[in-house]
Amino acid sequence: MDLDKLISEAWMAYEEAKKLLDEGDLRDAAEKAWLAVETMRKAIIVAAKIPYEETRRISIALPIFNSILIALGEKKFLDKYYTFQSTLHGMSFYEGLLNEEAIIMYVRDVEDWLSEAEGVVKRASKVNATKLLEPAKKRVRIKSEIFI
């Protein structure tokens, strides 16, 4: 998938999340906001020369994403990604444990993260992460052999 299309889709998902917030559908707003974050995660990885198909395999893509952001010195940005994973995807959508104010706060925080992510995409485009792909695939193969 094209990098610009991924970025556009991330923003469209976020706009849908805001609409759902306005309608009072907090659970689905949280999940749409998470979709926006995940789509931008894919954009960052694609910018670093990893094929889109690999961004969809989380067991391969997530270690690569981590490595890219660490190499770029983006620890706080990476921390926020994991905050969204926990709050929006886990605690809000799946568990239904966050209160209304927390969900609204985290959904709104996604907008700033997406804006920041566009700069990260530009910086990631100067990175060639293809050397990370084979070790990530090997790790998955070894894990599958261990847990047969």
Side-chain angles (χ1 to χ4, degrees):
M1 183 176 290
D2 175 76
L3 184 58
D4 290 333
K5 184 172 170 89
L6 285 167
I7 293 168
S8 175
E9 285 185 7
W11 281 107
M12 285 189 300
Y14 181 68
E15 289 303 317
E16 180 65 21
K18 290 194 310 187
K19 180 180 169 221
L20 290 165
L21 266 186
D22 290 343
E23 294 170 358
D25 188 348
L26 300 179
R27 183 174 180 268
D28 285 339
E31 191 62 5
K32 281 293 182 190
W34 172 244
L35 175 62
V37 169
E38 275 294 275
T39 305
M40 194 62 85
R41 173 192 57 81
K42 292 173 184 176
I44 291 166
I45 297 170
V46 167
K49 322 299 184 280
I50 299 296
Y52 172 74
E53 298 74 36
E54 302 296 349
T55 70
R56 298 173 57 193
R57 298 178 59 198
I58 197 74
S59 59
I60 291 172
L62 201 54
I64 293 172
F65 178 70
N66 294 340
S67 294
I68 293 166
L69 292 182
I70 290 166
L72 293 174
E74 291 289 350
K75 183 189 180 308
K76 287 183 182 179
F77 185 82
L78 183 60
D79 288 346
K80 197 68 174 183
Y81 170 85
Y82 284 110
T83 296
F84 292 141
Q85 181 187 48
S86 172
T87 58
L88 296 174
H89 189 56
M91 302 303 262
S92 296
F93 183 74
Y94 281 109
E95 302 296 331
L97 296 176
L98 285 189
N99 62 12
E100 182 176 335
E101 295 82 10
I103 294 170
I104 292 168
M105 177 184 70
Y106 285 115
V107 168
R108 288 187 177 148
D109 283 352
V110 168
E111 185 168 10
D112 290 337
W113 191 89
L114 292 174
S115 293
E116 188 176 344
E118 290 194 47
V120 174
V121 166
K122 288 178 186 163
R123 291 178 50 226
S125 69
K126 296 179 174 105
V127 172
N128 184 345
T130 56
K131 291 181 181 179
L132 299 172
L133 191 53
E134 195 50 45
K137 288 180 176 182
K138 183 178 179 181
R139 185 173 34 254
V140 170
R141 280 192 303 271
I142 291 169
K143 185 177 177 184
S144 71
E145 291 170 7
I146 292 171
F147 295 107
I148 290 180

